[in-house]
Amino acid sequence: MAAILPMSGLGMQAATIAVEIGNRLVKLVDQAERGRVRDFREAGVRIRSAPGTGTSARGLGNPGDRATIHRMVVGEMVRCPNGSANSEWFDITNRRTSVSGFVSGCFI
């Protein structure tokens, strides 16, 4: 049987600190990815208008095109070809075609 403890005082402060640490880690990862160049892992990767599979495709990316990463965002969970699940999406620009948009972390 689990006990329910009220969140007050020190408990609330610890929870607030944990949330702030999480937010700062996300910001550090985003800054580390910004400006990096990666390649597309598969042919015909859709570059989307927003971080989700239901959004319109602006263009395609292919191995060898290379993509400049502007930032990482959390979006729709995608099942990757290797069976894993990924909710990271990258705001990118395809260096060959100059098309900008979002690509699931599964494919870049």
Side-chain angles (χ1 to χ4, degrees), residues 26 58 67:
V26 167
R58 294 181 171 173

Side-chain angles (χ1 to χ4, degrees), residues 17-47:
I17 291 169
V19 168
E20 183 62 28
I21 289 171
N23 290 340
R24 288 183 186 193
L25 287 173
V26 167
K27 187 175 180 180
L28 286 172
V29 169
D30 181 45
Q31 289 171 348
E33 291 295 340
R34 205 171 290 153
R36 291 186 67 191
V37 176
R38 290 192 185 174
D39 205 358
F40 297 92
R41 293 182 181 166
E42 295 186 1
V45 173
R46 289 180 183 89
I47 301 170

Side-chain angles (χ1 to χ4, degrees), residues 37-45 47 59-68 92-99 108:
V37 176
R38 290 192 185 174
D39 205 358
F40 297 92
R41 293 182 181 166
E42 295 186 1
V45 173
I47 301 170
L60 300 175
N62 294 292
D65 286 355
R66 311 289 287 158
T68 300
I92 62 101
T93 299
N94 182 321
R95 296 182 104 186
R96 184 182 63 80
T97 65
S98 298
V99 172
I108 197 159

